[in-house]
Amino acid sequence: MKKGQLTVAVVGATGAVGQEMVTILEERKFPVAELRLFASSRSKGKSAKFNGRDVPIGELVFEASLFRGVDIILSSAGSSVSKQFASSAVKAGAVVIDNTSAFRMDAEIPLVVPEINPEDIKKHRGIIANPNCSAIIMLMAIAPLHKKNRIRRVVCATYQSASGAGMKAMRELEAQTRDVLEGRPVKKEVFPHQIAFNLFSHNSPVQSNGCNEEELKIIQESRKILHDDSIQIVATCVRVPVLRAHSEALFLEFEKKMSAREAREILRQTEGVKVVDDPKANYFPMPIEASGKDDVLVGRIREDGSAQNGLALFVSGDQLRKGAALNAVQIAEKLIRM
Amino acid sequence: MKKGQLTVAVVGATGAVGQEMVTILEERKFPVAELRLFASSRSKGKSAKFNGRDVPIGELVFEASLFRGVDIILSSAGSSVSKQFASSAVKAGAVVIDNTSAFRMDAEIPLVVPEINPEDIKKHRGIIANPNCSAIIMLMAIAPLHKKNRIRRVVCATYQSASGAGMKAMRELEAQTRDVLEGRPVKKEVFPHQIAFNLFSHNSPVQSNGCNEEELKIIQESRKILHDDSIQIVATCVRVPVLRAHSEALFLEFEKKMSAREAREILRQTEGVKVVDDPKANYFPMPIEASGKDDVLVGRIREDGSAQNGLALFVSGDQLRKGAALNAVQIAEKLIRM
């Protein structure tokens, strides 16, 4: 990667993650010489604010010339879009940091959480994959513990916000909530089931083994990021009527005893993690407090006597920031420092 | 218990559970000759509908004479209230079916889910305890499996509705939701934290071992009901912005292999359980569909390869009905048939 100011493109700039990417590039003073924004033709004529200026949003067309001169592309416009443009963008000289599931499990492509496996960035050949949001948020809490004392098994139950299904899903949660409060029938456009005052098993296709795709991502991506194919993971992924932060109840089984005190100490020293764990005040991680924050909140840290070397945790992390846009920008930051 | 029509009292008749008790007595045509309703002095002058008539709500005073002539008392007015009146009511000849935690772990007092341990009713000496809502809903799904093939360990993550904290908590969820939608600051009166578009670790005191009281109830009460002190249970209890049904992600470890197919078959034949498990349609238990229903909905039934003989489930059950009022009335029904 060249030094100095860069030409950066955001693909999917009008989406919930894309907007957050633009905000975070500005907040973190990423060295942007020129920002180019792309979205589908539906966003024609729109623009977005960046450092006080209006940046027009161009239509994403699948032509090799589109990304000429672009150094880094942050992409979050869906898996099929990424598959269409990524290789030609790489040929044109750009590095693609891709927030979709298109390339995550490709053995040749690094899948990175910068606090956990930054060294994998070096192996890239033009594409670096940004992991699934639930996987990132879980791993932020468990990877530092796993490094000290191997985790044999993770049981994960998620409480996932609407934002994971995009901006329209967040608006649907609000609109349905108004409908329920006013006694009107709810309209379902994004989610298959009512989300207002309700919850349901994650709306991704269910495989023949009974796992849905979100659960499979947590299992497979975690193994790849931790470089540990033998860690056992089971997850139940659930959508809850929360706007933009995911929470997870985690139950860990370690190789050797891990005390709650030691886990708390390790997590207190972990970059990107904030320990929120005050039993006396009954104050623990909550999605409204994780929203808009960079840190993943971790609490309810306690030993679990029901399993050998068991430890339980509860985490909340902003799905749009650390779960998506922030992690992508952090990958870009590591990349330009290498 | 005498045969024929009975004099029944409901203590805490204006509460969310108490109201449901009155409704269920009527729905199930419980043999009520006379219904007496009691609540605190705050409810003076109120009445409730029962079989088309208005039944006045009397003030609960702690005098032995109050329950003279009463055969069965359904009580749901808080632990301290139950402790004050129960023994004198028993002396006056009534059987108390108590929905509070006052007597649940008393070795002399049966703790009953009628589908699971009806025979324990026979041991009563005047008081029968109705279990914790989360414990009942979990046990309805796991007890029939445990009977066929011993469960060694249960991992439980709950998604608990506002109704578990009473009527005021349900109204608080609605009021806060309106406030958030209108951009007003939220008022917290019942819950320690905002519940609208948020979730938080269950609002019961946290013990020195890191478990909160709700989690402890699930562990201890399940062991008592299953007559199995060695079953290992860990729970993380979480309040979610749902009105009146609790959901739970359950991860079971059996002594011998339990296939998803076998589990589904057992649960299909279980009274009080409805299997809602359609992976193709992504249709599984949801709290809005469990609300107002007697059955506990069970789905996401799948083998869990991360543990030896593992099986995962997801359940939703109406907290006010099977989790409280219905179970209490079902105990009374069994009692009068004995």
Side-chain angles (χ1 to χ4, degrees):
Chain A
M1 183 58 54
K2 75 180 193 198
K3 299 284 168 193
Q5 299 287 305
L6 303 170
T7 299
V8 177
V10 173
V11 170
T14 52
V17 174
Q19 287 189 19
E20 205 67 28
M21 284 169 165
V22 173
T23 304
I24 291 172
L25 287 169
E26 177 171 334
E27 275 179 18
R28 295 176 73 93
K29 299 184 172 50
F30 193 84
V32 178
E34 186 192 342
L35 183 68
R36 298 194 199 162
L37 303 179
F38 299 99
S40 74
S41 57
R42 287 191 306 277
S43 300
K44 226 174 186 170
K46 286 188 184 169
S47 65
K49 282 270 180 216
F50 180 67
N51 286 335
R53 294 196 325 268
D54 283 314
V55 181
I57 295 171
E59 184 180 344
L60 182 70
V61 288
F62 298 105
E63 285 168 16
S65 61
L66 194 71
F67 295 112
R68 206 163 285 155
V70 174
D71 300 298
I72 293 177
I73 301 171
L74 300 173
S75 168
S76 189
S79 221
S80 61
V81 172
S82 292
K83 280 178 188 158
Q84 281 182 80
F85 84 82
S87 64
S88 65
V90 170
K91 272 182 207 142
V95 175
V96 178
I97 300 172
D98 185 55
N99 188 48
T100 77
S101 62
F103 308 110
R104 287 177 187 155
M105 293 313 298
D106 185 325
E108 306 282 300
I109 292 175
L111 180 68
V112 177
V113 181
E115 293 89 341
I116 300 172
N117 60 334
E119 67 288 353
D120 286 348
I121 295 174
K122 287 181 197 152
K123 299 176 203 154
H124 86 86
R125 300 175 183 190
I127 302 174
I128 302 165
N130 202 44
N132 167 272
C133 46
S134 300
I136 295 176
I137 290 164
M138 177 178 98
L139 290 168
M140 285 300 292
I142 74 170
L145 305 175
H146 184 65
K147 213 174 151 185
K148 292 272 173 118
N149 179 350
R150 199 175 158 270
I151 298 170
R152 287 179 198 271
R153 182 179 181 230
V154 182
V155 177
C156 168
T158 72
Y159 303 70
Q160 295 185 231
S161 63
S163 64
M167 193 91 77
K168 278 187 190 157
M170 297 167 78
R171 296 298 85 82
E172 181 158 296
L173 168 56
E174 290 171 340
Q176 285 187 355
T177 304
R178 286 179 205 275
D179 287 340
V180 172
L181 289 172
E182 302 306 324
R184 294 187 297 253
V186 304
K187 284 190 207 88
K188 289 174 277 185
E189 284 169 4
V190 181
F191 288 126
H193 308 292
Q194 177 181 323
I195 181 70
F197 300 108
N198 192 30
L199 51 84
F200 50 81
S201 182
H202 191 277
N203 52 302
S204 53
V206 180
Q207 318 293 308
S208 60
N209 64 1
C211 242
N212 63 42
E213 278 181 8
E214 184 79 358
E215 293 159 1
L216 211 65
K217 287 175 187 174
I218 292 177
I219 297 168
Q220 295 180 334
E221 296 184 20
S222 296
R223 287 178 172 166
K224 180 169 175 177
I225 294 162
L226 294 173
H227 296 281
D228 182 346
D229 279 343
S230 67
I231 187 170
Q232 295 299 313
I233 304 172
V234 61
T236 295
C237 290
V238 177
R239 285 268 183 226
V240 294
V242 163
L243 282 163
R244 62 173 281 171
H246 286 0
S247 304
E248 302 175 12
L250 301 171
F251 305 88
L252 314 177
E253 296 164 40
F254 288 86
E255 215 153 65
K256 293 166 293 181
K257 177 160 173 69
M258 168 71 79
S259 72
R261 182 191 295 259
E262 189 188 354
R264 212 172 278 121
E265 210 38 62
I266 293 168
L267 291 167
R268 278 208 184 101
Q269 288 163 23
T270 300
E271 194 194 337
V273 163
K274 189 180 174 195
V275 173
V276 176
D277 202 21
D278 184 348
K280 274 183 196 154
N282 217 318
Y283 178 60
F284 301 109
M286 294 191 286
I288 49 165
E289 295 207 335
S291 294
K293 304 273 169 55
D294 288 352
D295 286 341
V296 170
L297 312 182
V298 186
R300 294 297 323 271
I301 303 167
R302 60 202 195 276
E303 286 150 45
D304 162 19
S306 79
Q308 210 187 2
N309 306 321
L311 189 89
L313 307 169
F314 192 75
V315 303
S316 291
D318 189 314
Q319 185 272 326
L320 293 176
R321 292 182 74 91
K322 188 59 192 171
L326 173 64
N327 197 72
V329 174
Q330 287 172 322
I331 291 173
E333 289 172 346
K334 288 272 180 204
L335 180 70
I336 60 175
R337 267 188 240 119
M338 276 172 177
Chain B
M1 183 59 53
K2 75 182 193 195
K3 300 284 165 192
Q5 298 289 305
L6 303 170
T7 299
V8 177
V10 174
V11 171
T14 54
V17 174
Q19 288 189 21
E20 204 68 29
M21 284 168 164
V22 174
T23 303
I24 291 172
L25 286 170
E26 177 171 334
E27 276 179 16
R28 294 175 74 91
K29 300 184 171 53
F30 194 85
V32 178
E34 185 192 344
L35 183 68
R36 298 193 199 164
L37 303 179
F38 298 99
S40 73
S41 57
R42 288 190 307 277
S43 300
K44 227 173 183 169
K46 288 186 184 170
S47 65
K49 283 269 179 218
F50 179 68
N51 285 337
R53 294 197 324 269
D54 283 312
V55 181
I57 295 171
E59 184 181 344
L60 182 71
V61 288
F62 298 103
E63 285 167 17
S65 61
L66 194 69
F67 296 110
R68 207 164 285 155
V70 173
D71 300 297
I72 292 177
I73 301 171
L74 301 173
S75 169
S76 189
S79 222
S80 62
V81 171
S82 292
K83 281 176 189 160
Q84 281 181 79
F85 85 81
S87 63
S88 65
V90 171
K91 270 180 210 143
V95 175
V96 179
I97 300 172
D98 186 54
N99 187 47
T100 77
S101 62
F103 308 110
R104 288 178 188 154
M105 293 312 299
D106 185 325
E108 306 282 299
I109 292 175
L111 180 68
V112 178
V113 181
E115 292 90 342
I116 301 171
N117 60 334
E119 68 289 353
D120 286 348
I121 294 174
K122 288 181 196 152
K123 299 176 203 155
H124 86 85
R125 300 174 183 192
I127 302 175
I128 301 164
N130 202 44
N132 167 274
C133 46
S134 300
I136 296 176
I137 290 165
M138 178 177 96
L139 289 168
M140 285 299 292
I142 74 169
L145 305 176
H146 185 65
K147 212 174 153 186
K148 292 274 173 117
N149 178 352
R150 201 177 156 268
I151 297 171
R152 288 180 198 271
R153 182 179 182 229
V154 183
V155 177
C156 168
T158 73
Y159 302 70
Q160 294 185 232
S161 63
S163 64
M167 193 90 77
K168 278 186 190 160
M170 296 168 78
R171 297 296 86 81
E172 181 158 296
L173 168 56
E174 290 171 341
Q176 285 186 357
T177 303
R178 286 180 205 276
D179 287 340
V180 172
L181 290 173
E182 302 305 324
R184 294 185 297 252
V186 304
K187 285 191 207 89
K188 289 174 278 187
E189 284 169 5
V190 181
F191 288 126
H193 309 290
Q194 177 182 320
I195 181 71
F197 300 109
N198 192 30
L199 51 84
F200 48 83
S201 181
H202 191 275
N203 51 303
S204 54
V206 181
Q207 318 294 308
S208 59
N209 64 1
C211 242
N212 62 43
E213 278 181 8
E214 183 80 359
E215 292 158 1
L216 211 65
K217 287 175 188 174
I218 292 178
I219 298 168
Q220 295 179 334
E221 296 183 22
S222 296
R223 286 178 173 165
K224 181 169 174 176
I225 295 162
L226 295 173
H227 296 281
D228 182 347
D229 279 343
S230 67
I231 187 170
Q232 295 299 313
I233 304 172
V234 61
T236 294
C237 290
V238 176
R239 285 265 184 230
V240 294
V242 163
L243 282 162
R244 64 173 278 171
H246 287 358
S247 304
E248 302 176 13
L250 300 171
F251 305 87
L252 313 177
E253 296 164 40
F254 288 85
E255 217 152 65
K256 293 166 292 179
K257 176 158 174 69
M258 168 72 79
S259 72
R261 182 191 296 257
E262 188 187 354
R264 210 172 280 120
E265 210 37 61
I266 294 168
L267 291 166
R268 277 209 185 102
Q269 289 164 23
T270 300
E271 194 194 339
V273 163
K274 188 179 174 196
V275 173
V276 177
D277 201 21
D278 184 347
K280 273 183 199 156
N282 217 319
Y283 177 60
F284 301 109
M286 295 191 285
I288 49 166
E289 296 207 334
S291 294
K293 305 271 169 59
D294 289 351
D295 286 340
V296 170
L297 312 182
V298 185
R300 293 299 321 271
I301 303 167
R302 63 203 193 276
E303 286 151 45
D304 163 18
S306 78
Q308 211 187 2
N309 306 322
L311 189 89
L313 309 169
F314 191 76
V315 304
S316 292
D318 188 314
Q319 185 273 324
L320 293 175
R321 291 182 76 91
K322 187 59 192 171
L326 173 64
N327 197 71
V329 174
Q330 287 171 322
I331 291 172
E333 289 172 345
K334 288 270 178 205
L335 181 70
I336 61 176
R337 266 186 243 122
M338 275 173 180

